[in-house]
Amino acid sequence: MIHSLFMINSAGDIFMEKHWKSVISRSVCDYFFEEQQKANSPEDVNPVISTPHHYLIHIYRENIYFVAVCTTEVPPLFVIEFLHRVVDTFTDYFGDGGESAIKDNYVIVYELLEEMLDNGFPLATESNILKELIKPPNILRTVVNTVTGSSNLADTLPTGQLSNVPWRRAGVKYTNNEAYFDVIEEIDAIIDKQGSTVFADIQGVIDCCVKLSGMPDLTLSFMNPRILDDVSFHPCVRFKRWEAERVLSFVPPDGNFRLISYHVGSQNMVAIPVYVKPNISFREGGGRFDVTVGPKQTMGKMVESVVITCAMPKVVLNMNLTPTQGTYTFDPVAKVLTWDVGKINPQKLPNLRGNISLQSGSPPPESNPAISVQFKIQQMAVSGLKVNRLDMYGEVSKSSPKKSFTFEKYKPFKGVKYLTKAGNFQVRT
Amino acid sequence: MTDSKYFTTTKKGEIFELKNELNSDKKEKKKEAVKKVIASMTVGKDVSALFPDVVNCMQTDNLELKKLVYLYLMNYAKSQPDMAIMAVNTFVKDCEDTNPLIRALAVRTMGCIRVDKITEYLCEPLRKCLKDEDPYVRKTAAVCVAKLHDINAQLVEDQGFLDQLRELLSDSNPMVVANAVAALSEISDTSPSPAAQMEMNQQTINKLLAALNECTEWGQIFILDALSNYVPKDDREAQSICERVTPRLAHSNAGVVLSAVKVLMKGMEYVGMESEFVTTLQKKLAPPLVTLLSSEPEVQYVALRNINLIVQKRPDILKHEMKVFFVKYNDPIYVKLEKLDIMIRLATQENIAQVLAELKEYATEVDVDFVRKSVRAIGRCAIKVEQAAERCVSTLLDLIQTKVNYVVQEAIVVIKDIFRKYPNKYESIISTLCENLESLDEPDARASMIWIVGEYAERIDNADELLESFLEGFHDESTQLQLLTAIVKLFLKKPTETQELVQQVLSLATQDSDNPDLRDRGYIYWRLLSTDPAAAKEVVLAEKPLISSETDRLEPTLLDELICYIASLASVYHKPPSAFVEGQALVVRKTQLPVRSASGEPGATGATESPVPQQAQPVQQQQSVIPSHDTAMGDLLGDLLSMDLNPPQQQMSMTPAPQQDMGGMDLLGGGLDSLLGGPSPVAGMPASQASMGGGLGDILGLGISSTTYVPPKQVWLPAPKAKGLEVSGTFSIRQNVRYMDLTLKNNAMAPMGDFAIQFNKNSFGLSPASALQVPSPLSPGQTADVTLPLGTNGPVQKMDPLMNLQVAMKNNIDVFYFSCLIPIHLLFTEDGQMDRKVFLATWKDIPDSNEVQKEIANPNQLDPKGISDKLQQSFIFTIAQRNVDGRDMLYQSLKLTNGIWVLAELKIQPRSPTMTLSLKTRALDVIPQVQQAYELIIANM
């Protein structure tokens, strides 16, 4: 299981370490540094490294390497998923999981890590439960604590840890009961030079914000559930009912959570909402750059927040371009061109053109750079997925029928939003 | 307000101030102080001095303070075990607390304190907690058993905790079950004892399956892993397990998904091959695997490594999903390379056009490693999908036109493979290849090009000029073998113009080279050409076997084993855990896929057969197919005689069977004889049957027991000189006793008896320590092996040569005299390990004039570790090891029985057949002998 955790920043400092069993010397990280040196960029370090006595499994997030040390054969995905969960928890607690946030909250970080893992076995990783055990920091509470002498730590048993619904705490009460569902779809695509689709698929999620009193039992049904190729559910979803009736039946966690993520595969035709017409050419000492973007299959919706980025070859010295709309920047160190286009007006297509200058004496690059595109389309799910209805039943708690969270009648506000955006959307030029 | 405030220091010592605060009366101040202590601890400051003060804060009702103190205790108890005892009472009391949270916390913390004394007190509370009414306490206690096992395995077994843990497998709470499973599997992973193993029967399986649906995601991973170790008793049970595990594929935790995949992949093996169940299950596996590829890159990597195994085992599952493996330009390199590998495995006639278009795209990317691999991939496609070969070749030609150096070189390497797969088809492109000769600077590419030129010498007009130009760089070792073979081929094809060239290369290979492979091959060619050119033609230009299509498939048995380890580290390394996990009880894991009995379905495959080949691999039925290796080197070995296929070290090892080994023995024997100088008149005479047998026996013995090196027996006294008695012998050390091992053979007509032996005075005072025990009488034709223990306290007289030993042997017939040489390592003592500092001082102390350097051979090119281990067995001790400029330096010492110290410095150049030995000692006389000893010991490893 997980033996130790080291956090290493971009400067190569180990700024935090935690051991769940015996202490392992920091020098074990030398093997990691060795791998890191071989990599061309920070992201390229192989996530699973074996050393003579330990296995180092790490993730790279927020410019920090979270390096877990294991001494026995463990499922690496368990470690990776756990590490991501740790960072998610930090983000949840401190607003971001970066180095300064961790340093500012050392003691809480330490308490959290202690609570999340016992002897290398995960203990409590649901943010609901953790928040009952260790309260997140905020200024108001700090003031209150100093005045009243109460602490950040709860001294009651977290109820959720033992119940059949570990993700939800008991006795939730709201004056405004509301449940919002965001259907967010991302298009991953590779488009070739000619504009035809090499590969495209859709990753979708439904993120929820549910603030309902008591123990509500919800049922969400779709108009067209069959289009979903592969689904992964939050543990609260009853799988049997999905198998049988294709409806999502669940007792939701309290607050924000991801209900389902799904995948609409490459077997289905994916509507590509934008096109990019690139025309990039290099010659001795310079080159031409001319890119136009336009809407394609948008079902009449506006394409917004369009951003075009292009990692230019290393020999590019500078770019002198004129956009018909939006602004562009060229980072001469990272050689990244970013064009913030904004909305696309179908009548007047945005275009960016101009000259490229190369380092003198160096030969023109062999290949053209790939372009990556960001965009958003509101009120559309590109897969065509549609929520049909949401039903709510207040559930009578079996364990203590007389308590406050018995059957409650209230009418919640309900809402569904759709959003389509670009995931990893690349155009080859 | 942040925790950074805890790090501000004041002028007065920090520790002093903290101590004051910890002893303060105010609760709030105390807590702040403990927090400061913890903060210092997390950044690695030593605050252990505060131990008693912090422990004093432990008796409190405030849970937060208690937790902080516990954190501190866990960290420092090890360094202050006596102090930690003070905390024991509080722990025991807390284990009885009414609040289950406190009970759990106490037992959890106690398990983390790795101090023996505390561990003793832990047993009772733990036993109670394992039966606690509160499931939260039980699940914490389950993990605590694993902790305790890590500290003291014997204690856990003696106290019966393992049985209690097994009982928890049927607990009513799924979380408790999950933790018990996790604890048990960790214990069985680290403990070899059978008591620690998790027994699985139908009941436990059912309990686990029931708990699976309700426990946390992590618990699900542990349970799934445990399930995968279970062997279902029949088809139906396997099927029902699979059915109940399938819903886990829809979990959002990638770890759960992959562990479920493992259970299913294994389960499918137990269900009939052709069954419809398997077909539907296979369909269900594809979408979750594809979804894993849209997660974080780290998850993708692990998933891809596993998918690589899955597509080899069951290519059907992902055969329609080629596109998800297309590479995005911002994928991390480790993801890109894995995707590429899988793309080739999935390539078929139907999708090859797409794949090639992609690969061509990748070949223009920036990352050199990735580009190379892409080019190689194009070649592999050509070999795998015959219909596409032509397209691949033209793609490769396009890439060669780009003139990008590394692309060209990589392309040439793969084109060579294509030639080997489809002979006489694409040779028209050779001229294009030849245009790029100058740009080749990598050994692989050069070797490939040389091979092509040699193989198709008759079609290349200026083949001799080309090869001649390569010959100028003959000293470059990596292409020597290729060049030799290629020129010989050329000569056989165009004998008239190339005689000079072939002579040149043969003399280079046989005279100027230290590489035994090259020299041997050179001699073989030379003799072949000079004795029977026709035979040479048959051998050198023989029809070559085609290379196989799937060049880097895992071996089916390995693949089957790895399928059992899907989702584990083994699946990432593609090696079975036994190959990399240290000191673990892996034997007990049930890793075998089922071997199906032939009953019912004769087509069913078992553990050793790979599944029925798919249409994708049409070439598999060819028996003679040999796998092509990545390096051109390996490929070309097949060119030669079958002998070359044996790795060279096999010829070095002294197995008694083949003839050439006997030859080797002769040489060795002869060499040793000549060391004797004059005294033995039989030097050079073929060794007699008896001594030969003895020598072989000794050498075999040497291989088994790892004692000091024992030279083979030599004939010390030939029969004609001793009225029919033949004495052969050697020296050895066993259990620190020196022996003279003798073989006496009666070649006379009458029985012999009354044997006795005596030594003359000698340089090291060697003398018989007991009388010679020979079974008497020794009848005619009989042989007797006797050992004579030796002492080193006899009379001393310096001999010339130094190691000479004169022996008198008596029997009922006469007294005979002979002399032999004592191998000096017989006199090395087991206390020859010098202290490091003494070594340094002594080394400096001995004048430089007393240092003698010599190149000695390292024929097996052993690494420093091997050398040092071997030498140590002969009591040459390594004091220190350093690495200077890539060369390993071993510093060694040895001591002779008469107290002479010899210090040595051994410089080992990696992959070099020689090394440099510098010896320093006050008694220069022994140096030549010690040098010999080194050579002998090292040569006979």
Side-chain angles (χ1 to χ4, degrees):
Chain A
M1 298 297 133
I2 301 174
H3 204 115
S4 302
L5 172 68
F6 294 95
M7 298 183 199
I8 301 172
N9 65 14
S10 45
D13 297 328
I14 305 169
F15 67 93
M16 170 96 198
E17 59 184 286
K18 166 81 186 137
H19 307 274
W20 284 276
K21 295 185 179 182
S22 49
V23 175
I24 292 178
S25 150
R26 281 178 175 215
S27 60
V28 75
C29 293
D30 292 351
Y31 294 102
F32 170 80
F33 292 128
E34 219 170 88
E35 273 306 298
Q36 192 192 9
Q37 251 164 18
K38 285 186 220 152
N40 292 328
S41 71
E43 293 86 13
D44 280 350
V45 188
N46 195 318
V48 184
I49 302 167
S50 82
T51 78
H53 301 284
H54 305 98
Y55 312 106
L56 307 180
I57 301 176
H58 76 86
I59 62 165
Y60 181 67
R61 272 180 70 174
E62 317 275 347
N63 294 322
I64 300 172
Y65 295 100
F66 294 84
V67 185
V69 184
C70 305
T71 49
T72 49
E73 166 74 80
V74 292
L77 276 188
F78 150 68
V79 181
I80 290 170
E81 282 278 343
F82 178 81
L83 291 176
H84 278 294
R85 200 63 55 84
V86 168
V87 185
D88 291 343
T89 310
F90 291 165
T91 320
D92 194 22
Y93 264 71
F94 315 130
D96 81 306
E99 189 184 346
S100 57
I102 293 176
K103 280 186 169 166
D104 284 347
N105 296 285
Y106 252 124
V107 178
I108 293 188
V109 166
Y110 216 70
E111 285 173 336
L112 278 174
L113 291 176
E114 185 62 34
E115 213 50 67
M116 292 178 84
L117 217 53
D118 176 23
N119 194 40
F121 299 103
L123 202 59
T125 52
E126 284 285 335
S127 107
N128 279 301
I129 294 173
L130 284 170
K131 280 186 178 159
E132 272 187 68
L133 289 169
I134 302 158
K135 302 234 166 64
N138 67 40
I139 291 166
L140 184 68
R141 184 166 303 122
T142 327
V143 176
V144 173
N145 283 355
T146 15
V147 176
T148 61
S150 67
S151 76
N152 266 349
L153 273 177
D155 53 1
T156 51
L157 188 64
T159 46
Q161 267 197 327
L162 300 170
S163 78
N164 287 336
V165 275
W167 53 86
R168 188 173 179 88
R169 63 196 167 92
V172 183
K173 198 124 182 73
Y174 288 101
T175 40
N176 291 324
N177 287 293
E178 47 193 14
Y180 296 114
F181 296 84
D182 289 350
V183 181
I184 302 167
E185 297 193 339
E186 293 190 353
I187 305 177
D188 286 351
I190 303 174
I191 311 289
D192 75 3
K193 239 179 260 179
Q194 284 73 39
S196 46
T197 311
V198 178
F199 157 81
D201 68 4
I202 299 167
Q203 308 295 335
V205 295
I206 301 182
D207 281 344
C208 315
C209 177
V210 177
K211 293 180 172 173
L212 298 175
S213 310
M215 274 281 174
D217 198 331
L218 304 181
T219 308
L220 185 75
S221 58
F222 299 105
M223 309 273 267
N224 44 1
R226 309 263 157 207
I227 63 167
L228 305 182
D229 262 3
D230 182 43
V231 285
S232 352
F233 297 121
H234 189 276
C236 66
V237 177
R238 298 186 179 95
F239 190 73
K240 287 237 166 71
R241 284 201 64 188
W242 169 258
E243 286 279 85
E245 305 164 46
R246 297 273 149 181
V247 294
L248 298 176
S249 156
F250 56 99
V251 176
D254 185 37
N256 294 313
F257 67 101
R258 177 159 294 172
L259 178 64
I260 167 179
S261 45
Y262 59 88
H263 176 229
V264 180
S266 36
Q267 311 303 332
N268 303 33
M269 278 299 287
V270 176
I272 302 292
V274 294
Y275 71 88
V276 176
K277 223 195 268 163
N279 198 348
I280 304 173
S281 59
F282 294 105
R283 55 187 157 66
E284 202 64 48
R288 283 288 298 164
F289 185 93
D290 185 343
V291 170
T292 310
V293 262
K296 225 169 153 185
Q297 296 154 284
T298 62
M299 299 177 215
K301 300 276 190 318
M302 177 75 86
V303 185
E304 299 170 356
S305 314
V306 180
V307 178
I308 305 260
T309 38
C310 182
M312 302 301 287
K314 293 278 169 272
V315 291
V316 171
L317 198 62
N318 211 341
M319 302 182 75
N320 192 2
L321 311 170
T322 336
T324 57
Q325 77 174 69
T327 53
Y328 87 95
T329 53
F330 178 72
D331 178 347
V333 182
K335 315 282 182 199
V336 175
L337 169 76
T338 314
W339 176 26
D340 192 339
V341 184
K343 285 182 189 166
I344 296 182
N345 176 358
Q347 268 70 54
K348 190 170 164 289
L349 295 179
N351 170 277
L352 177 70
R353 77 176 71 175
N355 292 319
I356 308 170
S357 48
L358 301 182
Q359 277 161 16
S360 53
S362 41
E366 297 289 336
S367 61
N368 284 342
I371 290 177
S372 106
V373 186
Q374 302 288 318
F375 57 82
K376 274 185 192 160
I377 303 169
Q378 305 282 355
Q379 291 313 316
M380 176 181 103
V382 69
S383 67
L385 185 74
K386 272 222 144 48
V387 173
N388 184 23
R389 53 182 295 149
L390 176 76
D391 299 309
M392 191 189 82
Y393 313 90
E395 198 206 28
V396 182
S397 167
K398 283 166 200 120
S399 55
S400 51
K402 278 175 211 154
K403 286 276 168 65
S404 60
F405 44 85
T406 48
F407 185 83
E408 286 185 47
K409 258 197 171 148
Y410 54 80
K411 224 178 155 51
F413 297 104
K414 296 186 277 192
V416 179
K417 259 196 326 194
Y418 297 91
L419 174 68
T420 295
K421 53 184 184 179
N424 214 328
F425 195 101
Q426 305 185 349
V427 182
R428 291 175 180 160
T429 61
Chain B
M1 290 273 265
T2 70
D3 289 350
S4 1
K5 68 179 179 219
Y6 299 129
F7 297 111
T8 50
T9 50
T10 53
K11 281 171 231 155
K12 264 193 181 178
E14 198 185 359
I15 300 280
F16 175 78
E17 225 164 75
L18 282 172
K19 206 180 186 90
N20 274 342
E21 288 175 36
L22 283 170
N23 291 318
S24 145
D25 297 334
K26 283 182 196 146
K27 260 193 181 173
E28 205 39 46
K29 201 156 194 188
K30 250 188 192 176
K31 201 168 79 188
E32 284 299 298
V34 177
K35 274 198 172 180
K36 280 186 204 167
V37 173
I38 301 286
S40 310
M41 190 178 84
T42 53
V43 284
K45 277 189 203 159
D46 183 19
V47 284
S48 59
L50 296 167
F51 201 90
D53 307 282
V54 178
V55 171
N56 276 337
C57 302
M58 192 171 156
Q59 297 217 9
T60 169
D61 306 332
N62 185 318
L63 192 65
E64 187 186 17
L65 188 54
K66 208 181 244 314
K67 275 194 170 179
L68 290 170
V69 175
Y70 280 179
L71 273 181
Y72 179 89
L73 268 175
M74 282 186 235
N75 214 357
Y76 284 118
K78 187 99 194 169
S79 55
Q80 314 254 344
D82 296 330
M83 293 286 202
I85 286 292
M86 288 171 25
V88 162
N89 274 334
T90 323
F91 277 128
V92 175
K93 216 175 89 203
D94 281 356
C95 288
E96 309 273 333
D97 199 283
T98 48
N99 185 344
L101 199 60
I102 294 192
R103 291 203 298 277
L105 187 62
V107 77
R108 184 176 138 202
T109 313
M110 255 176 123
C112 293
I113 299 180
R114 308 172 67 87
V115 176
D116 288 343
K117 285 177 195 160
I118 297 231
T119 320
E120 287 165 27
Y121 289 98
L122 175 61
C123 292
E124 273 323 300
L126 178 58
R127 201 188 311 282
K128 268 186 215 152
C129 287
L130 281 167
K131 291 189 178 138
D132 199 287
E133 52 172 26
D134 194 305
Y136 181 73
V137 180
R138 289 202 301 276
K139 93 179 181 139
T140 314
V143 175
C144 194
V145 176
K147 292 181 197 170
L148 193 58
H149 186 271
D150 192 31
I151 303 169
N152 190 341
Q154 197 55 47
L155 186 74
V156 169
E157 281 172 36
D158 295 347
Q159 296 275 338
F161 285 136
L162 290 176
D163 293 327
Q164 277 195 292
L165 205 51
R166 276 189 210 107
E167 278 164 33
L168 289 186
L169 288 181
S170 30
D171 198 281
S172 57
N173 185 300
M175 247 74 89
V176 178
V177 178
N179 273 14
V181 169
L184 273 175
S185 28
E186 193 178 68
I187 290 173
S188 66
D189 259 5
T190 48
S191 164
S193 112
Q197 301 320 316
M198 189 158 34
E199 278 166 40
M200 301 266 241
N201 51 34
Q202 249 177 307
Q203 281 86 30
T204 26
I205 290 299
N206 280 331
K207 299 247 169 59
L208 293 187
L209 284 170
L212 181 61
N213 291 325
E214 307 205 351
C215 64
T216 65
E217 50 202 308
W218 316 110
Q220 295 185 11
I221 297 180
F222 301 137
I223 293 184
L224 287 168
D225 277 347
L227 282 175
S228 73
N229 288 334
Y230 174 70
V231 179
K233 64 176 185 351
D234 55 21
D235 281 19
R236 283 194 35 217
E237 193 183 7
Q239 206 161 325
S240 95
I241 291 177
C242 287
E243 272 164 8
R244 295 181 67 179
V245 165
T246 311
R248 296 301 111 209
L249 292 175
H251 202 285
S252 56
N253 185 318
V256 177
V257 174
L258 202 57
S259 290
V261 168
K262 161 158 70 177
V263 178
L264 296 176
M265 283 296 286
K266 260 186 104 173
M268 278 195 270
E269 295 297 317
Y270 295 96
V271 184
M273 261 315 267
E274 322 299 335
S275 94
E276 205 168 301
F277 179 78
V278 171
T279 325
T280 20
L281 199 53
Q282 289 203 9
K283 277 193 192 123
K284 285 187 186 163
L285 276 175
L289 287 174
V290 170
T291 302
L292 288 181
L293 297 181
S294 46
S295 331
E296 294 85 0
E298 297 92 2
V299 175
Q300 286 186 42
Y301 172 71
V302 177
L304 285 165
R305 291 295 285 175
N306 280 285
I307 288 173
N308 200 330
L309 296 174
I310 294 169
V311 295
Q312 287 185 62
K313 181 78 191 167
R314 295 183 179 269
D316 274 359
I317 294 179
L318 287 166
K319 66 179 172 195
H320 298 303
E321 302 291 346
M322 170 62 89
K323 282 185 175 177
V324 298
F325 298 103
F326 285 178
V327 172
K328 305 201 172 89
Y329 81 92
N330 48 6
D331 283 334
I333 183 74
Y334 55 82
V335 168
K336 284 183 178 175
L337 296 177
E338 289 307 315
K339 280 186 172 174
L340 208 52
D341 226 38
I342 296 171
M343 279 172 69
I344 299 161
R345 295 204 193 280
L346 289 177
T348 62
Q349 203 185 329
E350 292 86 55
N351 58 22
I352 193 75
Q354 264 183 334
V355 174
L356 268 184
E358 281 295 301
L359 291 176
K360 200 174 170 187
E361 190 76 35
Y362 306 157
T364 61
E365 278 220 28
V366 211
D367 190 297
V368 178
D369 280 346
F370 180 57
V371 169
R372 280 172 179 280
K373 194 150 183 191
S374 306
V375 176
R376 220 174 301 146
I378 297 175
R380 278 170 66 189
C381 284
I383 290 165
K384 192 176 167 193
V385 185
E386 188 166 0
Q387 295 81 352
E390 196 157 349
R391 277 236 282 295
C392 296
V393 170
S394 75
T395 309
L396 286 169
L397 279 181
D398 286 351
L399 290 172
I400 289 178
Q401 301 303 345
T402 63
K403 303 270 175 201
V404 178
N405 187 296
Y406 52 85
V407 175
V408 174
Q409 309 214 36
E410 206 63 52
I412 285 183
V413 174
V414 296
I415 285 178
K416 173 216 59 188
D417 284 343
I418 296 177
F419 283 170
R420 292 210 50 193
K421 168 81 181 177
Y422 309 108
N424 305 318
K425 232 175 148 182
Y426 301 110
E427 281 73 13
S428 52
I429 65 171
I430 288 175
S431 58
T432 322
L433 302 184
C434 292
E435 288 164 18
N436 291 288
L437 222 49
E438 289 76 33
S439 60
L440 307 182
D441 51 10
E442 290 162 20
D444 266 9
R446 283 169 63 93
S448 302
M449 194 62 212
I450 293 171
W451 183 88
I452 292 171
V453 175
E455 187 67 18
Y456 300 101
E458 67 274 26
R459 304 173 191 225
I460 306 170
D461 293 338
N462 58 346
D464 48 341
E465 284 168 35
L466 295 177
L467 289 177
E468 206 169 349
S469 70
F470 279 115
L471 196 57
E472 284 161 20
F474 191 69
H475 49 271
D476 168 24
E477 287 186 2
S478 45
T479 54
Q480 287 173 331
L481 285 169
Q482 270 66 25
L483 195 52
L484 173 62
T485 308
I487 292 180
V488 171
K489 281 183 191 163
L490 172 70
F491 172 70
L492 289 168
K493 286 172 178 170
K494 303 178 179 177
T496 43
E497 310 123 60
T498 56
Q499 205 151 7
E500 206 174 306
L501 191 63
V502 81
Q503 265 165 9
Q504 202 183 342
V505 74
L506 285 176
S507 73
L508 277 173
T510 52
Q511 284 159 27
D512 292 354
S513 166
D514 296 332
N515 178 348
D517 282 351
L518 181 65
R519 225 163 37 210
D520 284 357
R521 200 187 278 199
Y523 278 125
I524 290 169
Y525 284 150
W526 200 322
R527 281 180 202 153
L528 267 174
L529 292 175
S530 55
T531 49
D532 189 352
K537 220 166 189 160
E538 262 175 60
V539 171
V540 181
L541 302 180
E543 191 91 345
K544 271 158 288 294
L546 295 181
I547 57 174
S548 109
S549 62
E550 290 275 319
T551 50
D552 54 356
R553 274 183 83 89
L554 291 169
E555 216 193 309
T557 42
L558 177 62
L559 179 61
D560 278 346
E561 192 180 351
L562 289 176
I563 288 288
C564 303
Y565 289 111
I566 280 178
S568 71
L569 282 165
S571 68
V572 176
Y573 298 135
H574 287 190
K575 284 179 198 158
S578 50
F580 63 91
V581 178
E582 274 191 4
Q584 294 211 4
L586 291 151
V587 231
V588 292
R589 279 230 178 177
K590 298 190 179 84
T591 60
Q592 287 310 303
L593 287 181
V595 182
R596 305 204 124 249
S597 62
S599 70
E601 338 158 49
T605 50
T608 48
E609 271 175 19
S610 62
V612 188
Q614 308 302 317
Q615 66 273 37
Q617 307 129 24
V619 210
Q620 279 214 327
Q621 64 274 22
Q622 275 169 306
Q623 283 295 310
S624 62
V625 159
I626 57 159
S628 94
H629 299 270
D630 255 355
T631 63
M633 224 47 136
D635 272 348
L636 299 175
L637 279 178
D639 273 357
L640 259 188
L641 305 167
S642 63
M643 194 180 100
D644 273 27
L645 289 169
N646 294 334
Q649 61 265 31
Q650 246 172 24
Q651 286 161 17
M652 299 292 192
S653 76
M654 301 203 181
T655 43
Q659 255 184 330
Q660 79 222 47
D661 281 355
M662 291 295 256
M665 197 62 65
D666 242 0
L667 281 177
L668 190 69
L672 280 176
D673 278 348
S674 62
L675 292 179
L676 284 165
S680 164
V682 287
M685 228 173 99
S688 78
Q689 209 63 22
S691 78
M692 204 60 203
L696 284 175
D698 263 2
I699 286 158
L700 284 178
L702 180 80
I704 300 154
S705 72
S706 56
T707 43
T708 60
Y709 165 61
V710 180
K713 280 188 181 172
Q714 299 163 38
V715 179
W716 283 336
L717 186 66
K721 293 204 98 190
K723 305 198 172 147
L725 174 67
E726 188 188 70
V727 179
S728 46
T730 185
F731 294 93
S732 65
I733 305 184
R734 293 188 288 269
Q735 274 103 41
N736 296 337
V737 180
R738 296 170 177 80
Y739 290 98
M740 181 188 251
D741 295 330
L742 293 167
T743 302
L744 307 179
K745 190 174 184 216
N746 185 353
N747 282 350
M749 307 305 283
M752 296 176 178
D754 299 329
F755 284 93
I757 196 164
Q758 217 164 20
F759 292 178
N760 196 357
K761 289 179 190 170
N762 54 69
S763 314
F764 291 92
L766 225 49
S767 63
S770 72
L772 190 62
Q773 307 281 335
V774 183
S776 166
L778 193 64
S779 28
Q782 200 189 341
T783 322
D785 283 319
V786 286
T787 54
L788 177 70
L790 303 176
T792 51
N793 306 321
V796 177
Q797 184 189 16
K798 192 174 174 191
M799 300 296 290
D800 190 29
L802 189 74
M803 306 310 293
N804 202 10
L805 176 68
Q806 294 177 336
V807 184
M809 184 175 270
K810 176 187 109 51
N811 64 4
N812 57 348
I813 299 168
D814 204 342
V815 180
F816 311 105
Y817 297 98
F818 61 89
S819 61
C820 53
L821 287 180
I822 311 160
I824 196 161
H825 68 261
L826 185 73
L827 303 163
F828 297 170
T829 58
E830 68 274 18
D831 59 347
Q833 180 148 30
M834 218 179 225
D835 177 54
R836 242 184 138 106
K837 285 179 192 143
V838 180
F839 181 91
L840 270 176
T842 320
W843 184 272
K844 281 188 200 139
D845 213 356
I846 302 176
D848 282 345
S849 55
N850 276 23
E851 181 172 355
V852 182
Q853 239 184 36
K854 195 185 180 212
E855 288 285 323
I856 61 169
N858 179 12
N860 303 345
Q861 304 190 5
L862 288 159
D863 58 353
K865 171 95 174 59
I867 291 177
S868 134
D869 286 350
K870 199 70 198 176
L871 290 173
Q872 176 132 3
Q873 283 170 12
S874 298
F875 300 132
I876 301 176
F877 296 92
T878 303
I879 311 291
Q881 181 176 355
R882 274 202 301 153
N883 190 305
V884 181
D885 305 329
R887 288 182 307 184
D888 283 293
M889 317 277 276
L890 295 178
Y891 294 92
Q892 302 173 316
S893 70
L894 61 95
K895 186 184 164 193
L896 299 177
T897 46
N898 57 358
I900 293 178
W901 284 94
V902 181
L903 310 186
E905 181 202 57
L906 198 54
K907 261 184 233 168
I908 304 160
Q909 190 95 42
R911 283 177 298 286
S912 153
T914 63
M915 45 197 183
T916 314
L917 174 71
S918 312
L919 294 174
K920 242 183 171 183
T921 174
R922 290 202 165 79
L924 280 173
D925 295 356
V926 300
I927 282 187
Q929 273 75 26
V930 175
Q931 285 168 345
Q932 263 175 31
Y934 261 92
E935 281 184 308
L936 265 179
I937 294 166
I938 286 166
N940 287 288
M941 287 180 188

